[in-house]
Amino acid sequence: MKKREISFFDLKKGCWGHRMCGLLFSAVLLLAACGRENISGGAALTGEEAPSGAAREREWVYVPEVFAVKDERADYARMQPVGDTFFYVSLGEEMVDSPREICGYSLDSGEWTSVPIDWSAGEADWEVGSRFFAQDQSLYMIANVYPSSGPMERFLCRFDPEGHCLFSENITEQTGSGVYPGGLTVDSRGNVYLFLDNGEALLYSGDGDYHGSVRYASPEDQTPVRIVDLCEGADGKLYVCVSRESVNGMGDSAAVRFTLEKIDFENGRLSKVAEDLPDVRGICAAQEPYDLLLYDDRAVYGYRLNAPDGEGGAVGEELFAWMDSDINGYCVTNLYRLEDGRLCATVEDWINDDRAIVRLERTKAEEVPQREELVLATVNGGSDLAAMAVKFNRGSSRFRLLVRKYESLTDLYNAILAREPVDLIDLSGLPVRRLLAQGFFEDQTPYIERSERLSPSDFVDGLLEVYTFDGVLAGIPSEFSIHTVIGDAAKLENKAGLSLEELLELTDRYPGVKPFDGVTREEMLEYLMIFNEDRFIDWGTGDCHFDSELFQKVLEYIGTLP
């Protein structure tokens, strides 16, 4: 587990045109700042207000409204809207002795309802598989049934909104054995599509009658082919986004290609619509002028099937970035267009306790209250920083934190030289001592000392000293972790810790014994470099020592790992 530390970038003399004071980021992370005298733990006075990046550059913004269902079993990953209500089958239904319920949450009224699924497989155990809610609020579901004797059987079932079974058809013969049903969907005409992991899509009428099948992958395919997402287009056809891995001459995965394909239910045909979609996580129904919406971890794009590249074709036109709507794009599970035309995203982030439905209101940018934009620069940050920014932005009416990711340290340096506005910087993986020597960091000691909510005594003894160089506190840690290794005391000779040389000596003494379970070459090399980088790099002079005898021994040991 790597530490993640955040520190203010140096803003001495207002050199980047941004001026601000102390802010309290949640309950644990203080963001200290540049030269203001009225420092406090809450939001303090700032310089001139500036419009956010989204409001400054776009005609329209998508204003979020966040809903959290007060149900621990809420399944945000597979919720579906029908009208203003989001329906789901309660989590935990995979356990045969758990209650199986159809639940609904109304965005307009806040009302939550639940009814039990009334279906019995006799004395056999059964579990809920793939499911889909049709526009009449009925539930289509795959049930896996485990008789007391004999193989598992699979049923296609339909339930009315009260949970009563309308039909259940045994489809074991059509699905076959050893095949896993993935996505299940129903179009606006009531046609049912069941996608199997062997590359076949089974077609059923709304009453459960088998209508045939189409294939989206060939049995001869040597690389994985999977359904990324699917949705119904304005023409009533079902569009499917398919990813296919390609391999190089060595048989290794080289690239992933995304195609858009359309299923003609009546004629049982599947045809390619677009060959080169961008790398996306999902697709969604759209309104004019777009045929579909595409989305990835960063943004949502309008897509027109017949438009040339650069005009909304294969590249698409960006509608909005997730972060501009206070959404962590890494954790979006689905994007929907509601009946009234508004967009709605479901988010499921268990780690950061962000599980919600977010309804988006398309609004003129000038009608949205402006917030001052603060830029957090990072080289190594990912979804955790996005989650932090989302939490901050949802709780602040005055400031917006924007995470700006740079591909390399060189890119970050170039941004600094180009005087791009930067207010904070993620210290993870950065040469802090070298940057400090160049005067990049503001001393953050005064912000802790004068904060109303944090003081030096709130930190574990010695923790702030770790981030203090030549009397300057470069960063304020939000958390810390201690890495330990437990081993045979006799073999470790009761040592409290091991140096790199001692670790290598032990591996020589006990050949074939793995000091760490399940660690790959790549992971072990990364760990050894993280904790021993000063053994091979002189950060003061920039000299490297990767031709040393010690590093050669490291490589020899790494070569013994899987």
Side-chain angles (χ1 to χ4, degrees):
M1 177 179 179
K2 298 180 181 178
K3 297 190 293 293
R4 185 70 65 187
E5 304 93 19
I6 309 299
S7 166
F8 247 94
F9 204 79
D10 184 20
L11 300 177
K12 295 175 181 177
K13 301 180 181 179
C15 59
W16 300 113
H18 277 201
R19 294 174 296 152
M20 64 165 293
C21 240
L23 293 176
L24 191 68
F25 192 123
S26 72
V28 295
L29 179 59
L30 183 69
L31 304 183
C34 64
R36 286 272 185 176
E37 295 302 323
N38 54 330
I39 300 173
S40 69
L45 295 176
T46 70
E48 62 277 7
E49 293 291 332
S52 71
R56 183 170 57 248
E57 298 172 3
R58 301 183 191 278
E59 179 183 3
W60 297 93
V61 295
Y62 290 76
V63 179
E65 184 179 7
V66 182
F67 303 85
V69 182
K70 299 186 183 302
D71 176 20
E72 293 183 354
R73 305 168 306 157
D75 188 359
Y76 290 92
R78 288 177 283 198
M79 282 184 177
Q80 289 176 245
V82 180
D84 79 307
T85 301
F86 272 73
F87 289 94
Y88 61 93
V89 177
S90 56
L91 283 174
E93 71 282 0
E94 286 83 2
M95 304 296 292
V96 294
D97 58 348
S98 298
R100 305 165 175 91
E101 294 180 333
I102 297 173
C103 304
Y105 178 78
S106 169
L107 300 187
D108 290 340
S109 69
E111 180 183 3
W112 179 83
T113 60
S114 66
V115 296
I117 296 177
D118 181 18
W119 187 71
S120 173
E123 297 181 356
D125 292 330
W126 67 280
E127 64 183 4
V128 177
S130 306
R131 54 268 204 186
F132 189 90
F133 288 92
Q135 290 305 302
D136 61 359
Q137 300 185 6
S138 63
L139 168 66
Y140 286 83
M141 183 186 76
I142 300 298
N144 301 319
V145 179
Y146 299 90
S148 55
S149 61
M152 181 197 75
E153 296 181 314
R154 190 166 280 131
F155 288 79
L156 171 62
C157 309
R158 184 184 181 190
F159 302 87
D160 66 18
E162 285 71 44
H164 303 133
C165 185
L166 300 177
F167 70 76
S168 61
E169 295 289 338
N170 192 321
I171 61 171
T172 308
E173 182 177 348
Q174 284 120 42
T175 60
S177 60
V179 177
Y180 178 76
L184 175 69
T185 193
V186 182
D187 65 24
S188 57
R189 293 166 294 172
N191 300 318
V192 181
Y193 308 75
L194 175 61
F195 294 87
L196 308 179
D197 65 357
N198 66 351
E200 186 177 19
L202 305 182
L203 311 179
Y204 296 89
S205 70
D207 297 325
D209 295 331
Y210 182 57
H211 190 74
S213 67
V214 295
R215 297 204 66 89
Y216 60 89
S218 167
E220 289 76 31
D221 284 332
Q222 300 298 312
T223 57
V225 178
R226 68 180 183 90
I227 300 293
V228 177
D229 202 1
L230 45 87
C231 71
E232 185 173 356
D235 58 1
K237 303 297 184 182
L238 191 71
Y239 288 85
V240 183
C241 180
V242 181
S243 72
R244 291 178 169 82
E245 289 188 20
S246 60
V247 296
N248 57 25
M250 303 295 292
D252 298 323
S253 177
V256 179
R257 294 181 62 250
F258 293 81
T259 60
L260 188 66
E261 314 198 9
K262 180 171 66 174
I263 297 180
D264 182 343
F265 183 91
E266 286 75 16
N267 298 302
R269 288 201 300 263
L270 183 143
S271 57
K272 288 184 180 178
V273 177
E275 293 278 358
D276 296 304
L277 283 181
D279 186 345
V280 298
R281 293 186 54 227
I283 62 177
C284 170
Q287 290 177 306
E288 290 289 344
Y290 306 111
D291 296 299
L292 295 171
L293 300 183
L294 315 178
Y295 62 93
D296 55 22
D297 292 336
R298 197 192 68 83
V300 177
Y301 311 87
Y303 182 81
R304 289 179 287 179
L305 295 176
N306 298 316
D309 290 359
E311 298 182 14
V315 176
E317 299 169 339
E318 182 176 320
L319 300 185
F320 64 94
W322 290 117
M323 288 297 295
D324 287 342
S325 296
D326 297 343
I327 295 174
N328 184 354
Y330 293 95
C331 299
V332 171
T333 57
N334 284 293
L335 177 66
Y336 297 103
R337 184 171 65 86
L338 304 180
E339 291 179 354
D340 61 9
R342 286 183 288 186
L343 296 178
C344 211
T346 50
V347 180
E348 192 157 51
D349 181 358
W350 289 93
I351 296 176
N352 298 289
D353 193 25
D354 183 13
R355 303 172 65 234
I357 305 167
V358 184
R359 186 167 62 187
L360 300 164
E361 189 76 45
R362 186 171 180 261
T363 308
K364 280 284 189 179
E366 62 265 21
E367 299 175 6
V368 178
Q370 303 303 307
R371 290 186 278 176
E372 183 171 357
E373 188 174 88
L374 309 175
V375 177
L376 167 59
T378 180
V379 175
N380 299 298
S383 62
D384 51 348
L385 288 185
M388 235 191 311
V390 164
K391 185 176 182 179
F392 176 79
N393 292 339
R394 289 181 185 172
S396 174
S397 61
R398 193 164 187 181
F399 302 100
R400 170 175 294 280
L401 186 62
L402 171 67
V403 179
R404 182 169 293 157
K405 186 171 183 179
Y406 295 91
E407 293 301 319
S408 67
L409 191 57
T410 299
D411 291 337
L412 176 58
Y413 285 157
N414 290 338
I416 294 169
L417 294 174
R419 294 184 174 267
E420 292 183 10
V422 175
D423 301 285
L424 305 119
I425 188 168
D426 172 18
L427 297 184
S428 303
L430 300 187
V432 177
R433 190 184 300 273
R434 186 181 355 148
L435 293 174
L436 189 68
Q438 298 175 13
F440 283 171
F441 298 114
E442 175 96 358
D443 183 6
Q444 297 174 62
T445 303
Y447 296 98
I448 294 182
E449 292 176 343
R450 304 170 79 170
S451 168
E452 295 176 356
R453 299 179 63 179
L454 282 178
S455 69
S457 62
D458 292 324
F459 294 87
V460 174
D461 290 345
L463 187 58
L464 293 181
E465 283 75 5
V466 174
Y467 296 91
T468 302
F469 304 89
D470 298 326
V472 176
L473 179 61
I476 303 177
S478 62
E479 62 182 20
F480 76 96
S481 58
I482 299 176
H483 298 262
T484 61
V485 177
I486 300 173
D488 187 333
K491 292 184 173 62
L492 297 177
E493 300 175 354
N494 294 316
K495 293 180 179 178
L498 293 174
S499 67
L500 178 57
E501 287 88 348
E502 289 170 336
L503 172 65
L504 297 175
E505 192 275 328
L506 278 174
T507 61
D508 288 338
R509 191 189 312 171
Y510 302 102
V513 176
K514 297 179 181 179
F516 307 104
D517 184 48
V519 178
T520 65
R521 295 179 183 179
E522 181 180 7
E523 292 168 339
M524 192 64 187
L525 183 58
E526 179 182 3
Y527 296 151
L528 292 182
M529 291 302 100
I530 288 174
F531 296 110
N532 296 279
E533 58 183 18
D534 291 341
R535 303 293 303 277
F536 306 107
I537 303 174
D538 186 331
W539 295 109
T541 64
D543 293 335
C544 298
H545 307 285
F546 293 113
D547 56 352
S548 66
E549 182 180 353
L550 178 59
F551 191 71
Q552 292 178 37
K553 290 183 178 179
V554 167
L555 294 183
E556 290 172 359
Y557 164 59
I558 293 297
T560 66
L561 300 176

